[in-house]
Amino acid sequence: MADDGMLLNFELSADAFAPKKTFKGGSWRDRLTAKKSAEWGRQKAKEREAGLKGLIPRFEEVQSDDEELILPDHQPRKRARIDEPVLSDPNRRHSLSKQSSGKDGSRRPPSIPIGGVVSSLFTYNPKSATQESKAELENDFGIEPSNAPLRDELATFTNLGLSPTLASHLLKKLDISAPTAIQRRAIEQLCSADTDAFIQAETGSGKTLAYLLPVVQRLMHLSKQMKDAGEDFNRESGLFAIILSPTRELSKQISSVLEGLLSCCHWIVSSIVIGGEKKKSEKARLRKGLNILVATPGRLADHLDNTEVLDVSKVRWLVLDEGDRLMELGFENDIQKIVSILNLRRTKAMERVLPGLPERRNTVLCSATLKGGVQDLRSMALKEPVSISVDENEKAEGQEAANESKAFSAPAQLKQSYVTVPPKQRLVTLVGTLRQSFKRKGSVMKCIVFISCADSVDFHFEVLTRPSTAPVEGRATEVHKTADVDLEEPSLSSRSKKIAQGTTISEFRTQALATSCSTKDNTVQLFRLHGSLQQSTRTSTLLAYTKCTEPAVLVCTDVASRGLDLPNVDLVIEYDPPFSKDDHLHRIGRTARAGKDGRAMIFLMPGCEEGYIDVLKEGRQRNLTKHDADEMLRKGFSPSSGVTTDRDWENRATDWQLDVERWTLDHPKHLEQARRAFQSHIRAYATHVAAERAVFDMRELHLGHLAKAFALRDKPGSIRVPGLRPSKDDNNRANAARKASAVRSSASASKHDRPDDDTGVQAVSDEREGRRKMQAKMKAMGGASEFNLG
Ligand SMILES: Nc1ncnc2c1ncn2[C@@H]1O[C@H](COP(=O)(O)OP(=O)(O)OP(=O)(O)O)[C@@H](O)[C@H]1O
């Protein structure tokens, strides 16, 4: 066919018209090799010429199985693509080029790292299937707090049988004027009758005082009777009550409430044995004598075996607080042992009638639910118990039916919401949510963010306290200003400066400025807490968080979900979903306590996780609100000036995310921490209770996208961080105890962060099942085996 002279619009490479080299001589094999080698050389030249200039990592360096890879059809090599929105959007180009400028303003290639894939936050995201239903947003006017003190004029402590001294002490020293519904029931019952009791009530309803007040009241009565009879009541009069709780934190909390009460009757002496200090000093305290003992089960069982001076022959009350947790943590055997020793050592002293005290030992069990082995505990430790709970008569008008009142549910006044967030946007949405929450000074003072495992807590702590100006090794200093967030660096010592600059990670640092969500006008402090920290660190961190007068965020595992009474928590964020519905209720129960307001928000991923919305709607929940990631990002990343182009917040969010990814890549320690957090997170995800596995389905996780929420650009299968974190107490005794506690707790379904046992060893207790599933999934991804949930 004749050439018609038209030049078609084909894009041709520079070497398209270069004469093709022919190879002569040698064998046909030699000629073929030479030809292939020349072809390879041409291909390389084409790649260089394609203007990639370092923007795109070489194939050998790319590790992703994402959909965000382009496979050029003319050759088999994979090549990573920078997502269109980053390069094609002029705003993004501008933003990238700004970031690529050194201090002197000279252009240099954007710091897209060798060895990873940069994907856009805003493409390829799954969409939420849940329709926003305004019907969900019910009018919350008129919702009565369900755990508040009673307003009935007749419901006074003195009317319930407490002495005027104790009642006025409650008012003057503890600012408590009226009992809550559960306190009314419990005081009525336990002050007069001598029976075992099972107390069940919602979070924040004052269960601690519900069992402490009758004990203190009756001991005060005894001491008065003794005084009238010319006898002294003092610490040597005998040990009358033992209170067991599952964790050291809780025991300390109970002990401090008790001491507060006893300050009006200083002759009644309490003490605490929870481990974490030398047994010798605990023994010395026991030797001095005491009337009320707060303890953890393992430590008490130990003392009953080894401390002769501990006389339990007069014990009239045994209180088992947080019964469900006691069972979950595998204290069944210890409790069984304690109960049988108390029975054995019951002597004539017990038979002597002491005025005002029960004639036989009364056991009181407190638990939010009857599930998780609490029934077993009830049958083992209680005899014909009376059930004490809040019944229908005490509920405000319009609340649920009687059968629901028995169910464990969230406080009625608690405002719950959920936000659907695609996996890639999780981290940046968390930051957006925190920024939004702390934007207005004073609107939120205390917030708790629940995360599934210790490694992930540590990673998020580092990310959220990362300095806004990060010197980068081997590069000019990169200045990243997050627009409306103008931070003042606090004065730092040289060591903490080093830590703040991201060159080192301190195992001991548990408080820092939350640079990611602080503003010039509202600085936010960040705290971290998990079971792998030293006991002393945990205690001081909780104290510092409680006493912090600035706005504060606590990122923690479920170690802080049960029983802890952290004052004035306004907002609870469940960044990682809870491992069971009960865990969820305990977590959100850290806010809206004793009739106060509170908000709780849970992050759910679009897809099967949205099935959890039905769980959120269960019980008396009425004011459930839906949010989406865009909304939180817009609120959190829009400049405070309000001068913004339509989707400026997308650029700001992307800038923030890219900056964190670079920071992670630039510091090997942070990279390892991020990878470890990712691995542990996935293993934890595999351990949801069986009933909820359809909602939190491992097979539905998009690991590549999820990696971005850990600032990682790796192919998930290549993420392998060997070994568990270094043990805090790496000696033989600790290892032996760890093994023992792992065996003890193997029956439990959800022990992701065993907060304590009496040896202080944080047990890596959970989930053979999770490990098995995770191993299968990671094998499919390329293999990784070691995690840490603690
Ligand atoms: N009658 C009362 N009036 C006002 N505040 C009270 C009253 N009783 C207890 N509180 C306060 O309520 C808060 C919650 O009490 P407590 O920790 O005993 O609740 P709880 O029912 O044990 O909660 P959880 O189930 O979460 O352990 C505490 O700060 C306590 O001081």
Side-chain angles (χ1 to χ4, degrees):
M1 197 198 267
D3 185 348
D4 63 6
M6 271 168 53
L7 190 62
L8 295 177
N9 189 22
F10 288 137
E11 197 179 316
L12 298 168
S13 65
D15 67 351
F17 301 103
K20 286 255 181 322
K21 231 180 183 164
T22 50
F23 296 92
K24 295 180 181 165
S27 69
W28 67 270
R29 264 181 221 279
D30 296 334
R31 286 199 298 277
L32 188 66
T33 310
K35 196 175 156 194
K36 279 191 174 167
S37 157
E39 264 171 23
W40 186 84
R42 271 200 300 277
Q43 187 57 49
K44 278 280 154 204
K46 265 189 210 163
E47 278 180 13
R48 278 195 298 277
E49 195 185 286
L52 305 176
K53 290 177 185 133
L55 274 175
I56 298 175
R58 297 197 317 271
F59 164 65
E60 294 84 341
E61 296 156 353
V62 173
Q63 303 173 337
S64 174
D65 54 1
D66 257 357
E67 76 274 30
E68 289 152 33
L69 290 170
I70 297 178
L71 295 176
D73 49 15
H74 63 282
Q75 49 109 336
R77 288 166 183 252
K78 283 185 184 177
R79 180 175 295 165
R81 184 187 71 180
I82 314 291
D83 273 346
E84 283 90 346
V86 176
L87 289 182
S88 58
D89 177 337
N91 290 332
R92 293 294 306 113
R93 263 210 300 271
H94 174 63
S95 141
L96 267 182
S97 68
K98 263 206 303 190
Q99 288 166 34
S100 332
S101 301
K103 249 185 178 172
D104 54 358
S106 62
R107 282 213 57 183
R108 56 184 179 76
S111 57
I112 291 165
I114 291 173
V117 170
V118 186
S119 65
S120 166
L121 280 174
F122 294 97
T123 54
Y124 299 107
N125 283 320
K127 293 269 174 290
S128 163
T130 317
Q131 294 299 315
E132 183 148 9
S133 153
K134 291 290 171 199
E136 285 174 18
L137 308 174
E138 279 200 18
N139 189 343
D140 62 352
F141 292 116
I143 293 183
E144 286 284 329
S146 53
N147 54 10
L150 297 169
R151 280 182 286 173
D152 181 350
E153 278 180 15
L154 294 176
T156 62
F157 285 112
T158 39
N159 281 355
L160 295 176
L162 297 195
S163 70
T165 316
L166 190 52
S168 82
H169 177 71
L170 278 173
L171 181 63
K172 283 188 198 145
K173 294 282 178 320
L174 308 175
D175 200 21
I176 290 176
S177 54
T180 60
I182 195 68
Q183 286 167 355
R184 171 152 90 178
R185 289 261 168 237
I187 295 168
E188 271 172 355
Q189 173 68 29
L190 301 177
C191 274
S192 52
D194 291 350
T195 52
D196 287 355
F198 174 60
I199 301 180
Q200 186 183 16
E202 66 191 51
T203 53
S205 56
K207 291 188 285 293
T208 315
L209 284 179
Y211 63 74
L212 284 182
L213 283 172
V215 172
V216 174
Q217 168 60 35
R218 292 178 82 167
L219 287 180
M220 282 175 81
H221 181 76
L222 171 67
S223 65
K224 188 167 180 302
Q225 298 286 313
M226 285 172 71
K227 201 173 168 199
D228 290 349
E231 267 185 82
D232 253 3
F233 182 103
N234 55 36
R235 62 194 313 156
E236 281 157 17
S237 300
L239 172 60
F240 296 108
I242 295 176
I243 295 147
L244 293 181
S245 92
T247 67
R248 289 178 184 168
E249 275 89 0
L250 258 180
S251 297
K252 282 191 176 157
Q253 188 177 291
I254 295 165
S255 172
S256 97
V257 174
L258 180 59
E259 284 188 356
L261 283 184
L262 295 181
S263 63
C264 73
C265 45
H266 52 85
W267 54 92
I268 304 176
V269 177
S270 72
S271 193
I272 178 166
V273 290
I274 50 172
E277 66 175 316
K278 283 191 181 139
K279 235 191 266 173
K280 214 170 158 191
S281 39
E282 285 186 347
K283 276 186 184 183
R285 266 207 316 276
L286 295 174
R287 194 168 297 117
K288 280 195 205 162
L290 72 162
N291 311 116
I292 306 177
L293 178 64
V294 181
T296 45
R299 195 60 161 192
L300 178 62
D302 191 343
H303 278 295
L304 287 173
D305 275 344
N306 303 309
T307 309
E308 269 177 43
V309 76
L310 178 61
D311 176 6
V312 291
S313 63
K314 292 183 187 164
V315 170
R316 301 293 165 106
W317 289 278
L318 173 64
V319 179
L320 308 170
D321 199 3
E322 297 285 341
D324 50 343
R325 194 65 170 158
L326 282 169
M327 293 303 275
E328 273 179 20
L329 293 181
F331 287 124
E332 188 176 359
N333 292 343
D334 289 325
I335 295 170
Q336 205 155 21
K337 182 173 165 184
I338 291 166
V339 170
S340 48
I341 291 179
L342 290 183
N343 288 340
L344 272 174
R345 297 192 188 165
R346 199 183 135 171
T347 58
K348 290 279 171 211
M350 188 77 182
E351 266 116 57
R352 189 186 147 200
V353 176
L354 293 169
L357 297 205
E359 284 178 24
R360 68 167 186 91
R361 193 187 68 243
N362 290 177
T363 304
V364 179
L365 171 62
C366 285
S367 179
T369 62
L370 262 175
K371 291 184 264 174
V374 183
Q375 282 285 16
D376 297 341
L377 184 59
R378 195 160 103 146
S379 335
M380 182 237 297
L382 310 188
K383 270 191 207 136
E384 297 167 10
V386 173
S387 268
I388 301 175
S389 62
V390 180
D391 72 16
E392 193 63 7
N393 307 330
E394 311 217 22
K395 287 177 155 263
E397 259 183 33
Q399 291 187 9
E400 286 69 23
N403 59 348
E404 273 179 316
S405 75
K406 295 272 183 227
F408 178 35
S409 53
Q413 76 275 19
L414 173 66
K415 293 191 178 82
Q416 284 198 64
S417 63
Y418 62 93
V419 52
T420 47
V421 188
K424 279 201 282 188
Q425 295 179 355
R426 274 171 53 78
L427 180 59
V428 79
T429 306
L430 174 67
V431 171
T433 307
L434 290 174
R435 282 187 181 188
Q436 154 68 9
S437 303
F438 290 103
K439 211 170 225 170
R440 229 168 11 96
K441 199 169 184 158
S443 56
V444 172
M445 283 307 286
K446 294 262 164 71
C447 166
I448 303 181
V449 179
F450 282 103
I451 290 181
S452 63
C453 54
D455 288 327
S456 189
V457 166
D458 289 347
F459 166 72
H460 286 93
F461 179 81
E462 292 297 327
V463 167
L464 296 172
T465 57
R466 187 183 60 101
S468 56
T469 302
V472 177
E473 281 161 14
R475 276 202 219 143
T477 301
E478 191 168 75
V479 179
H480 178 75
K481 283 221 179 239
T482 37
D484 52 326
V485 182
D486 222 348
L487 296 169
E488 289 171 333
E489 285 289 336
S491 60
L492 299 166
S493 69
S494 65
R495 174 162 164 70
S496 31
K497 256 186 200 146
K498 247 184 139 188
I499 293 166
Q501 284 166 2
T503 50
T504 175
I505 296 172
S506 167
E507 279 173 39
F508 308 104
R509 193 178 67 139
T510 54
Q511 177 185 354
L513 180 74
T515 50
S516 298
C517 49
S518 292
T519 62
K520 200 173 177 187
D521 301 326
N522 201 22
T523 49
V524 181
Q525 293 295 318
L526 195 77
F527 297 80
R528 74 183 165 110
L529 189 77
H530 56 69
S532 295
L533 293 169
Q534 294 277 0
Q535 182 57 43
S536 55
T537 311
R538 281 156 58 177
T539 308
S540 57
T541 304
L542 272 177
L543 195 69
Y545 173 75
T546 304
K547 292 201 165 160
C548 185
T549 49
E550 283 182 286
V553 179
L554 175 70
V555 282
C556 57
T557 57
D558 279 335
V559 72
S561 72
R562 302 283 178 124
L564 284 188
D565 185 46
L566 303 168
N568 305 322
V569 175
D570 309 288
L571 173 65
V572 168
I573 297 176
E574 293 185 90
Y575 181 58
D576 290 339
F579 293 98
S580 69
K581 190 187 167 198
D582 286 353
D583 284 348
H584 162 68
L585 291 170
H586 281 292
R587 282 173 168 193
I588 62 176
R590 295 319 97 204
T591 182
R593 295 173 75 73
K596 295 205 178 94
D597 286 340
R599 288 192 292 128
M601 174 185 272
I602 183 169
F603 277 51
L604 298 172
M605 287 192 269
C608 58
E609 283 198 1
E610 288 176 274
Y612 204 69
I613 296 164
D614 291 337
V615 176
L616 299 178
K617 286 179 183 166
E618 282 171 14
R620 62 159 76 96
Q621 186 54 51
R622 290 167 168 200
N623 33 23
L624 182 69
T625 316
K626 174 185 158 76
H627 302 284
D628 62 29
D630 277 8
E631 178 193 343
M632 304 318 290
L633 289 172
R634 194 180 61 247
K635 286 178 179 168
F637 283 93
S638 291
S640 47
S641 64
V643 183
T644 173
T645 58
D646 250 5
R647 293 182 76 84
D648 207 13
W649 53 269
E650 275 191 11
N651 298 335
R652 288 161 181 273
T654 305
D655 284 351
W656 188 89
Q657 173 78 28
L658 290 175
D659 199 38
V660 177
E661 288 175 21
R662 282 193 296 272
W663 172 80
T664 308
L665 276 159
D666 288 334
H667 300 105
K669 288 205 164 179
H670 294 303
L671 185 59
E672 186 188 320
Q673 195 182 41
R675 289 173 173 164
R676 196 180 285 278
F678 174 73
Q679 288 179 171
S680 297
H681 172 87
I682 293 166
R683 198 182 92 184
Y685 197 89
T687 63
H688 281 275
V689 293
E692 287 171 8
R693 266 180 221 149
V695 175
F696 302 108
D697 187 350
M698 275 287 289
R699 291 164 304 177
E700 296 291 315
L701 278 187
H702 191 308
L703 297 180
H705 283 194
L706 199 56
K708 194 165 177 78
F710 288 87
L712 290 171
R713 295 172 175 179
D714 307 279
K715 177 182 176 183
S718 70
I719 297 171
R720 270 166 247 164
V721 185
L724 293 169
R725 66 173 57 233
S727 163
K728 66 178 174 170
D729 193 2
D730 199 12
N731 57 37
N732 292 341
R733 192 175 139 274
N735 287 334
R738 188 180 293 121
K739 273 183 204 156
S741 57
V743 169
R744 249 193 329 208
S745 58
S746 62
S748 167
S750 64
K751 297 179 287 290
H752 303 275
D753 194 344
R754 179 173 172 138
D756 216 27
D757 63 14
D758 301 304
T759 53
V761 178
Q762 180 265 324
V764 183
S765 57
D766 48 74
E767 311 103 12
R768 278 185 206 142
E769 174 67 4
R771 191 187 292 263
R772 188 187 61 71
K773 278 191 177 180
M774 190 55 230
Q775 275 168 352
K777 181 99 183 179
M778 293 305 277
K779 204 172 165 194
M781 297 191 313
S785 56
E786 299 289 353
F787 302 91
N788 178 33
L789 298 184

